[in-house]
Amino acid sequence: MNRRLDHAPNPAAAPAPRPPAPRPRCAAAAAEDPTPCGGPHAAATLIDRHGREIPGCLHHCARLLATLDGARVHPFVPTAHALEIYLRARELPPFAWEIGR
């Protein structure tokens, strides 16, 4: 007699879905900053005072701009994005994630 019990797993059934893997964050996100990216990971690029380019989302570019001394938005970033980054950065203290902002 070959009976199948209702509680027995069905070998032909699809496997249980896995939770989504965490998305990598943009390069402008500080390791200590717990906030998620806001938009595409390469929406803008910052240039630090040594000339290094750092691509990132608008959210983390603004946070990094508020933190880095002498940084600026790359001149080829669309004007609307650059203004958004500067306006957001103006409202933030350096290392905003350390005080919960």
Coordinates of all heavy atoms in Angstrom, one line a residue:
M1 N 0.8 -1.2 0.0 CA 0.0 0.0 0.0 C 0.9 1.2 0.0 O 1.8 1.4 0.8 CB -0.9 -0.1 1.2 CG -2.0 0.9 1.2 SD -3.0 0.4 2.6 CE -4.5 0.9 2.0
N2 N 0.6 2.1 -0.9 CA 1.5 3.3 -1.1 C 0.6 4.5 -0.8 O 0.1 5.1 -1.7 CB 2.0 3.3 -2.5 CG 3.2 4.3 -2.6 OD1 3.6 4.9 -1.6 ND2 3.8 4.3 -3.8
R3 N 0.5 4.9 0.4 CA -0.3 6.1 0.8 C 0.6 7.3 1.0 O 1.6 7.2 1.6 CB -1.0 5.8 2.1 CG -2.3 5.1 1.9 CD -3.0 5.1 3.3 NE -4.2 4.4 3.2 CZ -4.9 4.1 4.2 NH1 -4.5 4.5 5.4 NH2 -6.0 3.4 4.1
R4 N 0.0 8.4 0.6 CA 0.7 9.7 0.8 C 0.0 10.4 1.9 O -1.2 10.7 1.8 CB 0.7 10.5 -0.4 CG 1.7 11.6 -0.3 CD 1.9 12.2 -1.7 NE 2.0 13.6 -1.4 CZ 1.5 14.6 -2.1 NH1 0.8 14.3 -3.1 NH2 1.7 15.8 -1.8
L5 N 0.7 10.8 3.0 CA 0.1 11.5 4.1 C 0.1 13.0 3.7 O 0.9 13.5 3.0 CB 0.9 11.3 5.3 CG 1.1 9.9 5.8 CD1 2.0 9.8 7.0 CD2 -0.3 9.3 6.2
D6 N -1.0 13.7 4.2 CA -1.1 15.1 3.9 C 0.0 15.9 4.5 O 0.4 17.0 3.9 CB -2.4 15.6 4.5 CG -3.6 15.2 3.6 OD1 -3.4 14.8 2.5 OD2 -4.7 15.1 4.2
H7 N 0.6 15.5 5.5 CA 1.7 16.4 6.1 C 3.1 16.0 5.6 O 4.0 16.7 5.9 CB 1.7 16.2 7.6 CG 2.0 14.9 8.1 ND1 1.1 13.9 8.2 CD2 3.2 14.3 8.5 CE1 1.7 12.8 8.6 NE2 2.9 13.0 8.9
A8 N 3.2 15.0 4.7 CA 4.4 14.7 4.1 C 4.8 15.7 3.0 O 3.9 16.1 2.3 CB 4.4 13.3 3.5
P9 N 6.1 16.1 2.9 CA 6.4 17.1 1.9 C 6.3 16.5 0.5 O 6.5 15.3 0.3 CB 7.9 17.4 2.2 CG 8.4 16.3 3.0 CD 7.2 15.7 3.7
N10 N 5.8 17.3 -0.4 CA 5.7 16.9 -1.8 C 7.0 17.2 -2.5 O 7.4 18.3 -2.7 CB 4.5 17.7 -2.4 CG 4.3 17.3 -3.8 OD1 5.0 16.5 -4.4 ND2 3.3 17.9 -4.4
P11 N 7.7 16.1 -3.0 CA 9.0 16.3 -3.6 C 8.8 17.1 -4.9 O 9.8 17.7 -5.4 CB 9.5 14.9 -3.9 CG 8.3 14.0 -3.7 CD 7.3 14.7 -2.9
A12 N 7.7 17.1 -5.5 CA 7.5 17.9 -6.8 C 7.1 19.3 -6.5 O 7.1 20.1 -7.5 CB 6.4 17.2 -7.6
A13 N 6.8 19.7 -5.3 CA 6.5 21.1 -5.0 C 7.7 22.0 -5.1 O 8.8 21.6 -4.9 CB 5.9 21.2 -3.6
A14 N 7.4 23.2 -5.5 CA 8.5 24.2 -5.6 C 9.1 24.5 -4.2 O 8.4 24.5 -3.2 CB 7.9 25.5 -6.2
P15 N 10.4 24.8 -4.2 CA 11.0 25.1 -2.9 C 10.4 26.4 -2.4 O 9.9 27.3 -3.1 CB 12.5 25.3 -3.3 CG 12.5 25.6 -4.7 CD 11.3 24.9 -5.3
A16 N 10.5 26.6 -1.1 CA 10.0 27.8 -0.4 C 10.8 29.0 -0.9 O 12.0 28.8 -1.1 CB 10.1 27.6 1.1
P17 N 10.2 30.1 -1.1 CA 10.9 31.3 -1.5 C 11.9 31.8 -0.5 O 11.6 31.7 0.7 CB 9.9 32.3 -1.8 CG 8.7 31.9 -1.0 CD 8.8 30.4 -0.9
R18 N 13.1 32.2 -1.0 CA 14.1 32.7 0.0 C 13.8 34.2 0.2 O 13.3 34.9 -0.7 CB 15.5 32.6 -0.6 CG 15.9 31.2 -0.7 CD 17.3 31.2 -1.3 NE 17.8 29.8 -1.5 CZ 18.9 29.5 -2.1 NH1 19.7 30.4 -2.5 NH2 19.2 28.3 -2.2
P19 N 14.2 34.7 1.3 CA 14.1 36.2 1.5 C 15.0 36.9 0.5 O 16.1 36.3 0.2 CB 14.4 36.4 2.9 CG 15.1 35.2 3.4 CD 14.7 34.1 2.5
P20 N 14.7 38.1 0.1 CA 15.6 38.7 -0.9 C 17.0 39.0 -0.2 O 17.1 39.3 0.9 CB 14.9 40.0 -1.2 CG 13.9 40.2 -0.2 CD 13.6 38.9 0.4
A21 N 18.0 38.9 -1.1 CA 19.3 39.2 -0.6 C 19.5 40.7 -0.3 O 18.9 41.5 -1.1 CB 20.4 38.7 -1.6
P22 N 20.2 41.1 0.7 CA 20.4 42.5 0.9 C 21.1 43.1 -0.3 O 22.1 42.6 -0.8 CB 21.2 42.6 2.2 CG 21.8 41.2 2.4 CD 21.0 40.3 1.6
R23 N 20.6 44.3 -0.7 CA 21.2 45.0 -1.9 C 22.5 45.6 -1.4 O 22.5 46.2 -0.4 CB 20.2 46.0 -2.4 CG 19.1 45.4 -3.2 CD 18.2 46.5 -3.8 NE 19.0 47.5 -4.4 CZ 18.5 48.7 -4.8 NH1 17.3 49.0 -4.6 NH2 19.3 49.5 -5.4
P24 N 23.5 45.6 -2.2 CA 24.7 46.3 -1.9 C 24.4 47.8 -1.9 O 23.5 48.2 -2.6 CB 25.7 45.9 -3.0 CG 24.9 45.4 -4.1 CD 23.6 44.9 -3.5
R25 N 25.1 48.5 -1.1 CA 24.9 50.0 -1.1 C 25.9 50.7 -2.0 O 26.9 50.1 -2.4 CB 25.0 50.4 0.4 CG 23.9 49.8 1.2 CD 23.9 50.1 2.7 NE 25.0 50.7 3.3 CZ 24.9 51.7 4.1 NH1 23.8 52.2 4.5 NH2 26.0 52.3 4.7
C26 N 25.6 51.9 -2.3 CA 26.4 52.7 -3.2 C 27.8 53.0 -2.5 O 28.0 52.8 -1.3 CB 25.7 54.0 -3.6 SG 25.6 55.2 -2.2
A27 N 28.7 53.4 -3.3 CA 30.1 53.6 -2.8 C 30.2 54.9 -1.9 O 31.1 55.0 -1.1 CB 31.0 53.8 -4.0
A28 N 29.2 55.7 -2.0 CA 29.2 56.9 -1.1 C 28.7 56.7 0.3 O 28.8 57.5 1.2 CB 28.4 58.1 -1.8
A29 N 28.1 55.5 0.5 CA 27.5 55.2 1.8 C 28.6 54.8 2.8 O 29.4 53.9 2.5 CB 26.5 54.0 1.7
A30 N 28.7 55.5 3.9 CA 29.7 55.2 4.9 C 29.3 53.9 5.6 O 28.1 53.5 5.7 CB 29.8 56.3 5.9
A31 N 30.3 53.1 5.9 CA 30.1 51.8 6.5 C 29.2 51.9 7.8 O 28.4 51.0 8.1 CB 31.4 51.1 6.8
E32 N 29.4 53.0 8.6 CA 28.7 53.2 9.8 C 27.3 53.8 9.6 O 26.5 53.8 10.6 CB 29.5 54.1 10.7 CG 30.9 53.7 11.0 CD 31.9 54.1 10.0 OE1 31.5 54.9 9.1 OE2 33.0 53.6 10.0
D33 N 27.0 54.2 8.4 CA 25.7 54.9 8.1 C 24.6 53.8 7.9 O 24.7 53.0 6.9 CB 25.8 55.8 6.9 CG 24.6 56.6 6.6 OD1 23.5 56.3 7.2 OD2 24.7 57.5 5.8
P34 N 23.6 53.6 8.7 CA 22.7 52.5 8.5 C 21.6 52.8 7.5 O 20.7 52.0 7.2 CB 22.1 52.4 9.9 CG 22.1 53.8 10.5 CD 23.4 54.4 10.0
T35 N 21.5 54.0 7.0 CA 20.4 54.4 6.1 C 20.5 53.7 4.8 O 21.6 53.6 4.2 CB 20.3 55.9 5.9 OG1 21.5 56.4 5.3 CG2 20.1 56.6 7.3
P36 N 19.4 53.4 4.2 CA 19.4 52.7 2.8 C 19.7 53.8 1.7 O 19.5 55.0 1.9 CB 18.0 52.1 2.7 CG 17.1 53.0 3.5 CD 18.0 53.4 4.7
C37 N 20.1 53.3 0.6 CA 20.3 54.1 -0.6 C 19.0 54.8 -1.0 O 17.9 54.1 -0.9 CB 20.9 53.4 -1.7 SG 22.7 53.0 -1.4
G38 N 19.1 56.0 -1.5 CA 17.9 56.6 -2.0 C 18.1 56.9 -3.5 O 18.6 57.9 -3.9
G39 N 17.6 55.9 -4.3 CA 17.7 56.1 -5.8 C 18.8 55.2 -6.3 O 19.4 54.4 -5.6
P40 N 19.1 55.4 -7.6 CA 20.2 54.7 -8.3 C 21.5 54.9 -7.6 O 21.8 55.9 -7.1 CB 20.2 55.2 -9.7 CG 18.9 55.9 -9.9 CD 18.5 56.4 -8.5
H41 N 22.3 53.8 -7.6 CA 23.6 53.8 -7.0 C 24.7 54.7 -7.7 O 25.7 55.0 -7.1 CB 24.2 52.4 -6.8 CG 23.5 51.6 -5.8 ND1 24.0 50.4 -5.4 CD2 22.3 51.8 -5.2 CE1 23.1 49.9 -4.5 NE2 22.1 50.7 -4.4
A42 N 24.4 55.1 -8.9 CA 25.3 56.0 -9.6 C 24.6 57.3 -10.1 O 24.9 57.7 -11.2 CB 26.0 55.2 -10.7
A43 N 23.7 57.8 -9.3 CA 23.0 59.0 -9.7 C 23.8 60.2 -9.7 O 23.5 61.2 -10.5 CB 21.8 59.2 -8.7
A44 N 24.9 60.2 -9.0 CA 25.7 61.4 -8.9 C 27.2 61.0 -8.5 O 27.4 59.8 -8.1 CB 25.2 62.4 -7.9
T45 N 28.1 61.9 -8.7 CA 29.5 61.6 -8.3 C 30.0 62.8 -7.5 O 29.8 64.0 -7.9 CB 30.3 61.4 -9.6 OG1 29.8 60.3 -10.3 CG2 31.8 61.1 -9.2
L46 N 30.7 62.5 -6.4 CA 31.4 63.5 -5.6 C 32.9 63.5 -6.0 O 33.4 62.4 -6.4 CB 31.2 63.3 -4.1 CG 29.8 63.5 -3.6 CD1 29.9 63.2 -2.0 CD2 29.2 64.8 -3.9
I47 N 33.5 64.6 -5.8 CA 35.0 64.6 -6.0 C 35.5 65.2 -4.6 O 35.1 66.2 -4.2 CB 35.4 65.6 -7.1 CG1 34.8 65.1 -8.4 CG2 36.9 65.7 -7.2 CD1 35.0 66.1 -9.5
D48 N 36.4 64.4 -4.0 CA 37.0 64.8 -2.7 C 38.1 65.8 -3.0 O 38.5 66.0 -4.2 CB 37.4 63.6 -1.9 CG 38.6 62.9 -2.4 OD1 39.3 63.3 -3.3 OD2 38.9 61.8 -1.8
R49 N 38.7 66.4 -2.0 CA 39.7 67.4 -2.2 C 41.0 66.9 -2.8 O 41.9 67.6 -3.3 CB 40.0 68.2 -0.9 CG 40.7 67.4 0.1 CD 41.1 68.3 1.2 NE 41.1 67.6 2.5 CZ 41.3 68.2 3.6 NH1 41.6 69.5 3.6 NH2 41.3 67.6 4.7
H50 N 41.1 65.5 -2.9 CA 42.3 64.9 -3.5 C 42.0 64.5 -5.0 O 42.9 63.9 -5.6 CB 42.8 63.7 -2.7 CG 43.1 64.0 -1.3 ND1 44.1 64.8 -0.9 CD2 42.4 63.7 -0.1 CE1 44.1 64.9 0.4 NE2 43.1 64.3 0.9
G51 N 40.8 64.8 -5.4 CA 40.5 64.5 -6.8 C 39.9 63.1 -7.0 O 39.6 62.7 -8.2
R52 N 39.7 62.4 -6.0 CA 39.1 61.0 -6.1 C 37.6 61.2 -6.4 O 36.9 62.0 -5.7 CB 39.3 60.2 -4.9 CG 40.8 59.8 -4.7 CD 40.9 58.9 -3.5 NE 40.7 59.7 -2.3 CZ 41.5 59.9 -1.3 NH1 42.6 59.2 -1.3 NH2 41.2 60.6 -0.3
E53 N 37.0 60.4 -7.3 CA 35.6 60.4 -7.6 C 34.9 59.3 -6.8 O 35.4 58.2 -6.8 CB 35.4 60.2 -9.1 CG 36.0 61.4 -9.9 CD 35.7 61.3 -11.4 OE1 35.1 60.3 -11.8 OE2 36.2 62.2 -12.1
I54 N 33.8 59.7 -6.3 CA 33.0 58.7 -5.5 C 31.5 58.7 -6.0 O 30.8 59.7 -5.8 CB 33.0 59.1 -4.0 CG1 34.4 59.3 -3.5 CG2 32.2 58.1 -3.1 CD1 34.5 60.2 -2.3
P55 N 31.1 57.7 -6.7 CA 29.8 57.6 -7.2 C 28.8 57.2 -6.1 O 29.2 56.5 -5.2 CB 29.8 56.6 -8.3 CG 30.9 55.6 -7.9 CD 31.9 56.5 -7.2
G56 N 27.6 57.7 -6.2 CA 26.6 57.3 -5.2 C 25.2 57.7 -5.5 O 25.0 58.4 -6.5
C57 N 24.3 57.3 -4.6 CA 22.9 57.8 -4.7 C 22.8 59.2 -4.2 O 23.8 59.7 -3.5 CB 22.0 56.8 -3.9 SG 22.2 56.9 -2.1
L58 N 21.8 59.9 -4.5 CA 21.6 61.3 -4.0 C 21.7 61.4 -2.5 O 22.3 62.3 -1.9 CB 20.3 61.9 -4.5 CG 20.1 61.9 -6.1 CD1 18.8 62.5 -6.4 CD2 21.3 62.7 -6.7
H59 N 21.0 60.4 -1.8 CA 21.0 60.5 -0.3 C 22.4 60.4 0.3 O 22.7 61.2 1.1 CB 20.1 59.3 0.1 CG 20.1 59.1 1.6 ND1 19.4 60.0 2.4 CD2 20.7 58.2 2.4 CE1 19.6 59.5 3.7 NE2 20.3 58.4 3.7
H60 N 23.1 59.4 -0.1 CA 24.5 59.2 0.5 C 25.5 60.3 0.0 O 26.4 60.6 0.7 CB 25.0 57.8 0.3 CG 24.2 56.8 1.2 ND1 23.5 55.8 0.7 CD2 24.1 56.8 2.5 CE1 22.9 55.1 1.7 NE2 23.3 55.7 2.8
C61 N 25.3 60.7 -1.3 CA 26.2 61.8 -1.7 C 26.0 63.1 -0.9 O 27.0 63.7 -0.5 CB 25.9 62.1 -3.2 SG 26.7 61.0 -4.4
A62 N 24.8 63.4 -0.5 CA 24.5 64.5 0.3 C 25.1 64.3 1.7 O 25.7 65.3 2.3 CB 23.0 64.8 0.4
R63 N 25.0 63.2 2.3 CA 25.5 62.9 3.6 C 27.0 62.9 3.6 O 27.7 63.5 4.5 CB 25.0 61.5 4.1 CG 23.5 61.6 4.4 CD 22.9 60.2 4.6 NE 23.1 59.7 5.9 CZ 22.4 60.0 7.0 NH1 21.4 60.9 6.9 NH2 22.7 59.4 8.1
L64 N 27.6 62.4 2.5 CA 29.1 62.4 2.4 C 29.6 63.9 2.1 O 30.6 64.3 2.7 CB 29.5 61.5 1.3 CG 31.0 61.2 1.2 CD1 31.5 60.6 2.5 CD2 31.3 60.2 0.1
L65 N 28.9 64.6 1.3 CA 29.3 66.0 1.0 C 29.3 66.8 2.3 O 30.2 67.6 2.5 CB 28.3 66.6 0.0 CG 28.7 68.0 -0.4 CD1 30.0 68.1 -1.1 CD2 27.6 68.6 -1.3
A66 N 28.3 66.6 3.2 CA 28.3 67.3 4.5 C 29.4 66.9 5.4 O 29.8 67.6 6.3 CB 26.9 67.0 5.2
T67 N 30.0 65.7 5.1 CA 31.0 65.2 6.0 C 32.4 65.5 5.5 O 33.3 65.8 6.3 CB 30.9 63.7 6.1 OG1 29.6 63.4 6.7 CG2 31.9 63.0 7.0
L68 N 32.7 65.4 4.2 CA 34.0 65.6 3.7 C 34.3 67.1 3.5 O 33.6 67.9 2.9 CB 34.1 65.0 2.3 CG 34.1 63.5 2.2 CD1 34.1 63.0 0.8 CD2 35.2 62.8 3.1
D69 N 35.5 67.5 4.0 CA 35.9 68.9 3.9 C 36.5 69.0 2.5 O 37.4 68.3 2.1 CB 37.0 69.1 5.0 CG 37.4 70.6 5.0 OD1 36.6 71.5 4.8 OD2 38.6 70.8 5.3
G70 N 36.1 70.0 1.8 CA 36.6 70.3 0.5 C 36.0 69.5 -0.7 O 36.5 69.6 -1.8
A71 N 35.0 68.7 -0.4 CA 34.4 67.9 -1.5 C 33.4 68.8 -2.3 O 33.0 69.8 -1.8 CB 33.6 66.7 -0.9
R72 N 33.1 68.3 -3.5 CA 32.2 69.0 -4.4 C 31.5 68.0 -5.3 O 31.9 66.9 -5.4 CB 32.9 70.1 -5.2 CG 33.9 69.5 -6.2 CD 34.7 70.6 -6.8 NE 35.6 70.1 -7.8 CZ 36.7 69.5 -7.6 NH1 37.2 69.2 -6.4 NH2 37.5 69.1 -8.7
V73 N 30.4 68.4 -5.9 CA 29.7 67.5 -6.8 C 30.4 67.6 -8.2 O 30.8 68.7 -8.6 CB 28.2 68.0 -6.9 CG1 27.5 67.1 -8.0 CG2 27.5 67.8 -5.6
H74 N 30.5 66.5 -8.8 CA 31.2 66.5 -10.1 C 30.4 67.4 -11.1 O 29.2 67.5 -11.1 CB 31.1 65.0 -10.7 CG 32.1 64.8 -11.8 ND1 31.8 65.2 -13.1 CD2 33.3 64.2 -11.9 CE1 32.7 64.9 -13.9 NE2 33.7 64.3 -13.2
P75 N 31.2 68.1 -12.0 CA 30.5 69.1 -12.8 C 29.6 68.5 -13.9 O 28.7 69.2 -14.4 CB 31.7 69.8 -13.5 CG 32.9 69.1 -13.2 CD 32.6 68.2 -12.0
F76 N 29.7 67.2 -14.2 CA 28.9 66.6 -15.2 C 27.6 66.0 -14.6 O 26.8 65.4 -15.4 CB 29.6 65.5 -16.0 CG 30.7 66.1 -16.9 CD1 31.9 65.5 -17.0 CD2 30.5 67.3 -17.5 CE1 32.9 66.0 -17.8 CE2 31.5 67.8 -18.3 CZ 32.7 67.2 -18.5
V77 N 27.4 66.1 -13.3 CA 26.2 65.6 -12.7 C 25.0 66.5 -13.2 O 25.2 67.8 -13.2 CB 26.3 65.6 -11.2 CG1 25.0 65.4 -10.5 CG2 27.3 64.6 -10.7
P78 N 23.9 66.0 -13.5 CA 22.7 66.8 -13.9 C 22.5 67.9 -12.9 O 22.5 67.7 -11.7 CB 21.6 65.9 -14.1 CG 22.2 64.5 -14.3 CD 23.5 64.6 -13.6
T79 N 22.1 69.1 -13.4 CA 21.9 70.2 -12.5 C 20.9 70.0 -11.4 O 21.1 70.3 -10.2 CB 21.5 71.5 -13.3 OG1 22.4 71.7 -14.3 CG2 21.3 72.7 -12.4
A80 N 19.8 69.3 -11.7 CA 18.8 69.0 -10.7 C 19.3 68.1 -9.6 O 19.0 68.3 -8.4 CB 17.6 68.4 -11.4
H81 N 20.1 67.1 -10.0 CA 20.7 66.3 -9.0 C 21.7 67.0 -8.1 O 21.8 66.8 -6.9 CB 21.4 65.1 -9.6 CG 20.5 64.1 -10.2 ND1 20.9 63.0 -10.9 CD2 19.1 64.0 -10.1 CE1 19.8 62.2 -11.2 NE2 18.7 62.9 -10.8
A82 N 22.6 67.8 -8.7 CA 23.6 68.6 -8.0 C 22.9 69.5 -7.0 O 23.3 69.6 -5.8 CB 24.4 69.4 -8.9
L83 N 21.9 70.2 -7.4 CA 21.1 71.1 -6.5 C 20.5 70.3 -5.3 O 20.6 70.8 -4.2 CB 20.1 71.9 -7.2 CG 20.6 73.0 -8.2 CD1 19.5 73.6 -9.0 CD2 21.3 74.1 -7.3
E84 N 19.9 69.2 -5.6 CA 19.3 68.4 -4.6 C 20.4 67.9 -3.6 O 20.2 68.0 -2.4 CB 18.7 67.1 -5.2 CG 18.0 66.2 -4.2 CD 16.7 66.8 -3.6 OE1 16.1 67.8 -4.2 OE2 16.4 66.4 -2.5
I85 N 21.5 67.5 -4.0 CA 22.6 67.1 -3.1 C 23.1 68.3 -2.3 O 23.2 68.2 -1.0 CB 23.8 66.5 -3.9 CG1 23.4 65.2 -4.5 CG2 25.0 66.4 -3.0 CD1 24.3 64.7 -5.6
Y86 N 23.3 69.5 -2.9 CA 23.8 70.6 -2.1 C 22.7 71.1 -1.1 O 23.0 71.4 0.0 CB 24.1 71.8 -3.0 CG 25.5 71.6 -3.6 CD1 25.7 71.5 -5.0 CD2 26.7 71.6 -2.9 CE1 26.9 71.4 -5.6 CE2 27.9 71.5 -3.4 CZ 28.0 71.4 -4.8 OH 29.3 71.2 -5.3
L87 N 21.5 71.1 -1.5 CA 20.4 71.5 -0.6 C 20.3 70.5 0.6 O 20.1 70.9 1.8 CB 19.1 71.6 -1.3 CG 19.0 72.8 -2.3 CD1 17.7 72.7 -3.1 CD2 19.1 74.1 -1.6
R88 N 20.3 69.2 0.3 CA 20.3 68.2 1.4 C 21.5 68.4 2.3 O 21.3 68.3 3.6 CB 20.2 66.8 0.9 CG 18.9 66.5 0.2 CD 18.9 65.0 -0.2 NE 17.8 64.6 -1.0 CZ 17.5 63.4 -1.3 NH1 18.3 62.4 -0.9 NH2 16.5 63.1 -2.0
A89 N 22.7 68.5 1.8 CA 23.9 68.5 2.6 C 23.9 69.8 3.5 O 24.4 69.7 4.6 CB 25.1 68.5 1.6
R90 N 23.3 70.9 3.0 CA 23.3 72.1 3.8 C 22.5 71.9 5.1 O 22.8 72.6 6.1 CB 22.6 73.2 2.9 CG 22.7 74.5 3.5 CD 22.1 75.5 2.6 NE 20.7 75.4 2.5 CZ 19.9 76.1 1.8 NH1 20.4 77.1 1.0 NH2 18.6 76.0 1.9
E91 N 21.6 71.0 5.1 CA 20.8 70.8 6.3 C 21.4 69.7 7.2 O 20.8 69.5 8.3 CB 19.4 70.3 5.9 CG 18.6 71.3 5.0 CD 18.3 72.6 5.7 OE1 18.0 72.6 6.9 OE2 18.5 73.7 5.0
L92 N 22.5 69.1 6.9 CA 23.0 68.0 7.7 C 24.3 68.4 8.4 O 25.1 69.1 7.8 CB 23.3 66.8 6.8 CG 22.1 66.1 6.1 CD1 22.6 65.1 5.1 CD2 21.3 65.4 7.2
P93 N 24.5 67.9 9.6 CA 25.8 68.1 10.2 C 26.8 67.0 9.7 O 26.4 66.0 9.1 CB 25.5 67.8 11.7 CG 24.4 66.8 11.6 CD 23.6 67.2 10.4
P94 N 28.1 67.2 9.8 CA 29.0 66.2 9.5 C 28.7 64.9 10.3 O 28.3 64.9 11.4 CB 30.4 66.7 9.9 CG 30.2 68.2 9.9 CD 28.7 68.4 10.3
F95 N 28.9 63.7 9.6 CA 28.7 62.4 10.3 C 27.3 62.4 10.9 O 27.1 62.0 12.0 CB 29.7 62.1 11.3 CG 31.1 62.2 10.8 CD1 31.9 63.4 11.0 CD2 31.7 61.2 10.1 CE1 33.2 63.5 10.5 CE2 33.0 61.2 9.6 CZ 33.7 62.4 9.8
A96 N 26.3 62.7 10.1 CA 24.9 62.8 10.6 C 24.4 61.4 11.2 O 23.6 61.4 12.1 CB 24.0 63.2 9.4
W97 N 24.9 60.3 10.7 CA 24.5 59.0 11.2 C 24.9 58.8 12.6 O 24.3 58.0 13.3 CB 25.1 57.9 10.3 CG 26.5 57.9 10.1 CD1 27.5 57.3 10.9 CD2 27.2 58.6 9.1 NE1 28.7 57.6 10.4 CE2 28.6 58.4 9.3 CE3 26.8 59.4 8.0 CZ2 29.6 58.9 8.4 CZ3 27.8 59.9 7.2 CH2 29.2 59.7 7.4
E98 N 25.9 59.5 13.1 CA 26.4 59.4 14.5 C 25.4 60.0 15.5 O 25.4 59.6 16.7 CB 27.7 60.0 14.7 CG 28.8 59.2 14.0 CD 30.2 59.8 14.3 OE1 30.3 60.9 14.9 OE2 31.2 59.1 13.9
I99 N 24.5 60.9 15.0 CA 23.6 61.5 16.0 C 22.1 61.1 15.6 O 21.2 61.7 16.1 CB 23.7 63.1 16.0 CG1 23.5 63.6 14.6 CG2 25.0 63.5 16.5 CD1 23.3 65.1 14.6
G100 N 22.0 60.1 14.7 CA 20.7 59.6 14.4 C 19.9 60.3 13.3 O 18.7 60.2 13.3
R101 N 20.6 61.1 12.5 CA 19.9 61.8 11.4 C 20.2 61.2 10.1 O 21.0 60.5 9.9 CB 20.4 63.3 11.4 CG 19.8 64.0 12.6 CD 20.1 65.5 12.5 NE 19.3 66.1 11.4 CZ 19.5 67.3 10.9 NH1 20.5 68.0 11.4 NH2 18.8 67.8 9.9

